[in-house]
Amino acid sequence: MDKNAGHVSGDFEQGAVNAESRKGFLSMMMVMLGFTFFSASMWAGGTLGKGMDFTGFLWAVMAGNLILGAYCGALAFIAARTGNSIHILCRYSFGKKGSYLPSFLLGITQVGWFGVGVAMFSIPVQKWLQSMGYEWAYSTAALWYITLVAGLLMTSTAYFGIKSLTILSYVAVPAIIILGLYSTVRALTTGFPEGGETLRSGWEVMTTFKPAPDALIGASAAIAISVGSFISGGSCTPDFVRFSKNAKIAVVTTVIAFFLGNSLMFFFGAVGTMTYQVNDISEVLFKQGLLLWAIIALGLNIWTTNDNAIYTSGLGFSNITGIPKRFTVLFNGILGTLAALWLYNNFCGYLNILNVFLPPVGAVVIADYFLRRRMRYLSPEEEKFCQVNWVAIVAWAVGSVVAFQDYGIKAINGMVAAAVTYLVLGAFREHFQDTRRIREILENRK
C-alpha cells in the first residue's frame, strides 16, 4: 500500500498520518498548549472567581480539567493509534456519509468561534488605537480594516497546515505564559484599597474572597462551567495529536495541556476578576498600563486558538466535499472573517447551544473504538465503510437531547447517554442480524 495514501496537502485529510510525518513530545506539547490557551476559559474562570471562594475555585477547575483530560485523552489515544482525524474516525462509527453530520457540526461551530475570535481581537485593537489619539480609528471602516487584516493573517497560518501551527505555537505559548504570569504576579502583589485607606494585596483579596449569596455557584454547576468551557474544542483533539509519534505522547501532552494550559487560563481569569474586575489577561495588562504587551498577549492568545479552530473546520468540510483542506481552510477563514462582527454581536449564544451537540459525537467514537471494535480499526483505505450507520445517528440524537436537560453536568450526561444508546442499539442490531442469518441458513437446508 502507498504510505502516502490519503495524503493530499501534507495534512492527511483523507487518510491516516504516515510514520514519517509523526512528531515528538515538545512539538505536540506546544501545539496542544496553544490549543488550550483560549479566552473563553478566562471568561469561565472569571465567572467562577465571582461565585466561589478560592478553595472551591481550585477544586472545581481541577475536577473539570480531570474530566476534560479523560475525554480528550481517550480521543487522543485513538487518534495516535490510528493516525486519523476526528472526521475520519467518525466514518468508522457513523459511516462514510453519516460522518458528514458530525463534520458539519464541528466545522460550522469552529468557523463561528473563529469569527468571534477575530472580532475579540479587532474591537480591543480599535479601542487601543483610539486611546493613542488616532482619529481615523473611530470610523467603522477602521474596525473592518483591522478585522480583515487579523482574519486573513490567522487564516494564512492555518492554510499552511500543522507545520505552521507548530511554529506559531513555539512563539505564542512561551510569550503568553510569560506575560500572563508577570501580569498575575503583579496583580497579586499590588495593594488594593478596602474601606478607605486600607490596602490589601491581590493575593489576600483572592484567597479571602467570599461570594455574595446571590452570586454563589455550587460545586456541580462550577464543574459544569469548567467542562463546558472547552468540551466542544476538545472534541477536535484528534485533528492535532494524530501527528504524535505514539499514543503515549498524544495522551500525556493532551492531559498536561488541559491541566496546565486550561487551568492557567482559568486562574488568569479569576485573578483578573477578583482584582481588576476584568476576566481577560490582556484587559488586566491594559489596566496595568502595559498597552502594547496587552495587544501582543491578546493577539497571540486568540491566534493560536483561532488557527486550531479554522484548521479543524477545514478538515471537516474536506471530509464532506473531498476538496483539499488548504482550500476549505481558505474559504472558511474568509467566511469567518467577513462574518466576524456579526457573529460577535449575534451568535455567541447559538455557538454555546451548538456545543451541546458535539460531546456525544466523541462519546460514540470512544464507545465504538474501545468497546464495540475492541481497538481493531483497519486503515481508511482498507476499511469497508457503510454509507450511514443509523445506530450512531440515533445515539448522537439521544445524547444531544439528554445534554439539553438542565441538571447535573450537561456534557457528561450527553456523552454517557450517547455511548450507552450506541452500545445497546448496536447489540440489538447485531443480535437481530445473527438471528436472521441463522434463520436463512436453516431455511436453505430445508
Side-chain angles (χ1 to χ4, degrees):
M1 184 190 306
D2 182 2
K3 67 182 179 181
N4 288 314
H7 179 2
V8 176
S9 61
D11 283 281
F12 303 90
E13 55 263 51
Q14 301 299 330
V17 177
N18 62 28
E20 291 79 4
S21 301
R22 299 294 184 114
K23 300 179 181 297
F25 177 85
L26 185 58
S27 293
M28 295 314 306
M29 187 75 262
M30 288 296 176
V31 170
M32 290 306 296
L33 281 175
F35 182 42
T36 56
F37 284 177
F38 184 36
S39 292
S41 294
M42 287 191 279
W43 298 348
T47 299
L48 296 185
K50 290 186 294 186
M52 308 188 78
D53 60 29
F54 186 61
T55 302
F57 165 81
L58 291 179
W59 277 112
V61 172
M62 289 299 103
N65 284 326
L66 176 64
I67 294 169
L68 283 171
Y71 170 65
C72 298
L75 289 174
F77 180 89
I78 301 170
R81 285 286 296 270
T82 64
N84 293 322
S85 69
I86 185 64
H87 310 283
I88 300 300
L89 289 174
C90 284
R91 293 183 184 181
Y92 293 87
S93 47
F94 286 83
K96 186 172 182 178
K97 291 185 177 180
S99 69
Y100 296 172
L101 172 63
S103 285
F104 176 78
L105 290 170
L106 289 163
I108 201 67
T109 304
Q110 297 310 307
V111 171
W113 280 120
F114 174 86
V116 170
V118 172
M120 285 169 57
F121 175 75
S122 63
I123 292 172
V125 169
Q126 183 192 35
K127 293 179 180 178
W128 174 63
L129 291 172
Q130 291 170 354
S131 71
M132 299 291 289
Y134 294 104
E135 292 295 328
W136 59 268
Y138 286 87
S139 68
T140 303
L143 179 58
W144 269 107
Y145 179 77
I146 298 166
T147 300
L148 290 172
V149 170
L152 293 177
L153 283 174
M154 293 175 187
T155 301
S156 67
T157 45
Y159 174 86
F160 291 107
I162 192 69
K163 290 182 180 179
S164 191
L165 295 184
T166 304
I167 293 170
L168 175 64
S169 296
Y170 269 105
V171 175
V173 167
I176 294 169
I177 291 175
I178 291 169
L179 287 171
L181 290 177
Y182 170 79
S183 179
T184 298
V185 169
R186 184 168 167 178
L188 293 177
T189 55
T190 296
F192 292 88
E194 182 182 63
E197 299 295 325
T198 305
L199 292 178
R200 301 174 68 211
S201 70
W203 175 253
E204 188 177 359
V205 170
M206 185 170 185
T207 54
T208 60
F209 176 79
K210 298 294 182 184
D214 59 344
L216 188 65
I217 298 175
S220 178
I223 295 172
I225 291 171
S226 182
V227 172
S229 68
F230 209 78
I231 193 71
S232 64
S235 301
C236 304
T237 298
D239 293 348
F240 314 106
V241 295
R242 64 198 171 111
F243 286 92
S244 300
K245 283 187 176 179
N246 54 54
K248 181 179 179 181
I249 289 174
V251 174
V252 170
T253 54
T254 298
V255 173
I256 291 176
F258 280 99
F259 272 94
L260 177 61
N262 207 38
S263 294
L264 272 178
M265 293 298 103
F266 270 86
F267 187 69
F268 290 163
V271 170
T273 297
M274 291 182 176
T275 54
Y276 292 100
Q277 289 74 55
V278 291
N279 56 18
D280 192 298
I281 199 66
S282 61
E283 295 182 70
V284 175
L285 287 165
F286 269 120
K287 293 272 189 177
Q288 293 169 338
L290 303 171
L291 303 182
L292 178 61
W293 294 113
I295 292 297
I296 292 173
L298 177 69
L300 291 175
N301 192 19
I302 292 173
W303 199 331
T304 54
T305 305
N306 260 17
D307 259 26
N308 286 286
I310 207 68
Y311 176 83
T312 193
S313 76
L315 291 175
F317 286 107
S318 178
N319 178 51
I320 296 170
T321 64
I323 298 172
K325 180 233 59 176
R326 62 184 182 275
F327 297 124
T328 55
V329 160
L330 188 60
F331 176 81
N332 290 348
I334 293 172
L335 176 63
T337 300
L338 292 176
L341 298 176
W342 181 86
L343 287 166
Y344 182 82
N345 292 317
N346 298 282
F347 208 51
C348 281
Y350 292 106
L351 287 170
N352 286 321
I353 292 173
L354 285 173
N355 287 348
V356 173
F357 293 116
L358 302 184
V361 170
V364 169
V365 170
I366 291 169
D368 185 72
Y369 183 78
F370 286 107
L371 300 175
R372 181 170 176 266
R373 305 281 193 107
R374 301 187 185 279
M375 297 193 293
R376 291 191 293 268
Y377 275 8
L378 298 176
S379 70
E381 295 75 32
E382 296 171 324
E383 180 75 24
K384 294 181 180 179
F385 297 111
C386 68
Q387 291 299 302
V388 178
N389 181 4
W390 290 104
V391 168
I393 301 291
V394 171
W396 164 80
V398 170
S400 298
V401 170
V402 170
F404 264 111
Q405 307 309 308
D406 196 17
Y407 61 88
I409 302 173
K410 293 184 176 183
I412 299 297
N413 297 340
M415 288 190 290
V416 171
V420 171
T421 302
Y422 180 73
L423 294 173
V424 170
L425 291 183
F428 272 115
R429 183 180 64 180
E430 290 174 3
H431 175 73
F432 174 77
Q433 289 173 340
D434 290 342
T435 301
R436 185 175 62 180
R437 196 174 297 115
I438 293 171
R439 187 182 298 115
E440 289 175 351
I441 292 172
L442 293 174
E443 289 177 354
N444 289 335
R445 287 182 178 178
K446 292 179 180 178

